[in-house]
Amino acid sequence: MIAVTSHENEASIVDFYEGKSVFITGGTGFLGKVFIEKLLYCCPGLVKIYMLIREKKGLTIKERIDRFVDDSLFDRLKTQRPKDLDKIVLIPGDITAPSLGISQEQENILIEEVSVIIHSAATIKFNAPLEEAWSINVDGTRRILDLCRNMKKVEVFLHISTAYTNINRNVIEEVLYPPPADIKELEKLDKHNVTEKQTMKLLNGFPNTYTFTKSLTEHLVAENCAYMPTIIVRPSVVAAVLEDPIKGWLENWYGATGISVFTAKGLNRVFLGHKNIIVDVIPADYVANLVIIAGARNNKSKELKIYNCCSSGCNPLTIGNLLGAFIDDAIRHKTYAMPLPGWFIFTRYRLVATIVTFIFQVVPAYLADLYRRIIGKKPKYTKLLYLVVQTRVALDFFSSNSWVMKADRMRELYASLSNNDKRMFPCDPTHINWPEYLSDYGAGVRRFLEKRN
């Protein structure tokens, strides 16, 4: 049962952003692009979106903006309100640099103009060296917070975390759990000289540096409540857009996409785990909608608000059903690369996974490349094999474990909206029709990643 506090008499979500400017980090990423498009299209009264972006030699700011919006994601804006794209203002800088590498002039603009901060920048490489993950995820967030605390108009700070910050628990609520390590002790550590073995010990049961550093960062962000309303949004596995602005839109192979497609094509034949393991997938537009809503509705709260943007607690999807949908799509559209694309196994034993990988992936890859050489083509399957195995191994921990990630607070927030706001910013996972969504997801892979007609 979802308890609902009605906000019918409050200003609409769109009205909240009227006359305001937003500062966003990580805006060039998959999720960041969806944030920006959604804000610009749905909130026409928005003044500016300031976007932190690293310098790139040889390209002017105008050229970088043109490249950024040269994506079908922005088609409806380009068609209906092209001038609104001029609201995007690039702020050259670097999240790993002192003071973010921002010029004093641009820092002053942010301090004077910004009301809403969306901090999305992070390294999402699972096995990045601890020094790199720490510099971006922990220290980078600290630098953003330092800047935001000087902003004169700031109303709310939104931090994009991950639902996998508390994977030492079977059921994950929308609360702040104890940190996996003492952040102050880790700050003293010479991370440059930490070995892989020492890193594994420091991770304290976490599978990689990404989830470990993101978990610690939540506690850094929690301290920000003393300065401004602060919100943590925890998306699970972010996947293709469900509905708005383009069904199935995506721009990279991360998350569930790469391994699902590899399996569907017959390039991956084994998974560590079981077909009934729950995989928590959430559409990118649901994450963007939640962030926009949460910022508007919690801009006066002194309490840290945490929202799990997840599906497993209310509308679970099994890994077997996820992979089955991609396999059906590959067979239907004949996009598989190897014979018998539907054949793969689940196992709980690493030795079995290793044997199956060698017999049914390594050997066929070498034979396929031998054939390509004979007919005068360049080999490609052995190189691809390395990527497939590397991807699967990185996900072994997640494919062999299940979590129930509660999203009650998120659903309560959505239920409290006016009917118009609900239509504009859908984010309740119980409304996802998985067969229909996965069909659009597969179509999105073919259209946006594989560039097939």
Side-chain angles (χ1 to χ4, degrees):
M1 182 68 125
I2 299 296
V4 178
T5 301
S6 177
H7 292 271
E8 285 281 353
N9 296 324
E10 292 189 26
S12 71
I13 302 301
V14 173
D15 287 344
F16 169 77
Y17 289 94
E18 182 83 25
K20 292 184 172 66
S21 290
V22 175
F23 176 49
I24 183 169
T25 71
T28 58
F30 170 44
L31 200 50
K33 281 187 175 180
V34 181
F35 287 151
I36 290 170
E37 197 282 340
K38 190 76 178 186
L39 277 167
L40 287 175
Y41 187 80
C42 294
C43 305
L46 197 70
V47 178
K48 297 286 184 185
I49 294 181
Y50 296 100
M51 182 170 72
L52 185 70
I53 190 167
R54 281 185 291 185
E55 293 269 16
K56 198 165 187 178
K57 292 182 180 179
L59 290 176
T60 65
I61 292 294
K62 175 68 166 57
E63 288 170 333
R64 295 207 69 181
I65 283 284
D66 290 344
R67 284 195 177 191
F68 179 74
V69 300
D70 185 24
D71 189 301
S72 55
L73 181 74
F74 296 99
D75 280 355
R76 64 178 180 177
L77 272 166
K78 285 183 279 191
T79 300
Q80 300 174 36
R81 303 199 316 267
K83 289 187 177 180
D84 281 9
L85 292 168
D86 295 337
K87 295 178 181 180
I88 303 173
V89 178
L90 301 188
I91 304 293
D94 189 334
I95 200 168
T96 65
S99 301
L100 300 170
I102 297 174
S103 71
Q104 189 60 57
E105 180 184 358
Q106 288 170 323
E107 182 177 326
N108 290 340
I109 292 172
L110 296 176
I111 288 172
E112 296 292 336
E113 301 298 330
V114 169
S115 300
V116 178
I117 304 104
I118 301 173
H119 175 43
S120 180
T123 176
I124 57 174
K125 292 189 290 185
F126 279 1
N127 296 311
L130 181 61
E131 180 184 29
E132 178 185 335
W134 188 277
S135 176
I136 298 172
N137 295 346
V138 181
D139 285 341
T141 300
R142 183 181 284 110
R143 295 183 187 101
I144 292 293
L145 290 171
D146 287 344
L147 171 62
C148 294
R149 289 167 189 170
N150 292 323
M151 291 179 177
K152 296 179 180 179
K153 293 183 178 179
V154 64
E155 292 188 39
V156 62
F157 178 90
L158 295 122
H159 172 69
I160 313 304
S161 185
T162 170
Y164 297 94
T165 53
N166 298 286
I167 47 181
N168 53 336
R169 302 170 184 276
N170 294 324
V171 178
I172 301 171
E173 304 277 356
E174 292 161 297
V175 298
L176 187 68
Y177 291 104
D182 187 331
I183 192 168
K184 291 182 179 179
E185 288 299 315
L186 286 169
E187 283 171 349
K188 301 174 186 176
L189 190 66
D190 179 9
K191 300 171 195 67
H192 181 69
N193 294 314
V194 173
T195 65
E196 188 175 337
K197 186 176 180 180
Q198 289 172 324
T199 297
M200 293 308 296
K201 186 176 180 180
L202 289 169
L203 294 185
N204 195 24
F206 277 65
N208 50 55
T209 55
Y210 169 68
T211 54
F212 179 72
T213 53
K214 291 292 279 186
S215 180
L216 291 171
T217 301
E218 287 194 352
H219 292 266
L220 196 65
V221 171
E223 297 173 2
N224 197 53
C225 282
Y227 302 90
M228 67 191 75
T230 300
I231 301 164
I232 294 175
V233 175
R234 294 175 178 156
S236 52
V237 181
V238 182
V241 167
L242 175 78
E243 185 69 37
D244 194 30
I246 305 173
K247 286 185 177 182
W249 182 86
L250 71 169
E251 69 160 10
N252 63 48
W253 296 92
Y254 299 151
T257 307
I259 197 62
S260 298
V261 174
F262 289 149
T263 304
K265 290 181 179 294
L267 297 168
N268 178 64
R269 301 293 191 178
V270 62
F271 264 92
L272 202 65
H274 188 275
K275 67 178 183 179
N276 291 326
I277 290 287
I278 303 300
V279 55
D280 200 307
V281 171
I282 198 75
D285 48 331
Y286 271 37
V287 184
N289 291 339
L290 172 62
V291 169
I292 293 169
I293 294 166
R297 284 290 180 257
N298 294 289
N299 65 309
K300 293 180 174 61
S301 175
K302 294 183 180 180
E303 171 197 358
L304 176 69
K305 292 293 180 70
I306 298 178
Y307 296 96
N308 289 345
C309 195
C310 307
S311 59
S312 59
C314 56
N315 189 10
L317 171 70
T318 66
I319 192 170
N321 287 336
L322 171 68
L323 296 174
F326 273 88
I327 290 168
D328 289 345
D329 186 88
I331 293 172
R332 188 182 313 115
H333 296 279
K334 294 182 172 57
T335 57
Y336 48 88
M338 292 288 185
L340 303 174
W343 188 90
F344 71 100
I345 69 166
F346 286 97
T347 180
R348 295 188 181 278
Y349 303 102
R350 291 188 182 276
L351 178 59
V352 173
T354 301
I355 294 171
V356 171
T357 299
F358 179 77
I359 296 174
F360 295 102
Q361 291 178 225
V362 176
V363 172
Y366 275 91
L367 290 175
D369 274 350
L370 176 61
Y371 174 72
R372 288 181 66 84
R373 287 180 185 276
I374 291 171
I375 63 174
K377 292 185 177 181
K378 288 184 178 181
K380 66 177 184 178
Y381 289 106
T382 48
K383 184 177 181 180
L384 187 57
L385 170 71
Y386 174 75
L387 176 61
V388 172
V389 174
Q390 188 182 44
T391 302
R392 197 215 72 214
V393 170
L395 297 173
D396 277 351
F397 180 85
F398 301 94
S399 67
S400 55
N401 290 280
S402 262
W403 298 270
V404 174
M405 298 175 180
K406 298 288 189 178
D408 294 344
R409 179 177 280 176
M410 177 181 76
R411 295 182 61 212
E412 287 171 10
L413 179 64
Y414 175 75
S416 73
L417 300 179
S418 68
N419 288 332
N420 188 54
D421 281 344
K422 285 179 181 176
R423 284 191 296 270
M424 193 172 290
F425 302 102
C427 61
D428 187 336
T430 61
H431 297 165
I432 301 172
N433 179 316
W434 288 118
E436 184 178 318
Y437 171 69
L438 294 175
S439 176
D440 291 336
Y441 192 170
V445 169
R446 293 194 308 278
R447 177 182 173 187
F448 300 110
L449 299 184
E450 297 181 337
K451 308 300 181 184
R452 297 174 184 265
N453 294 329

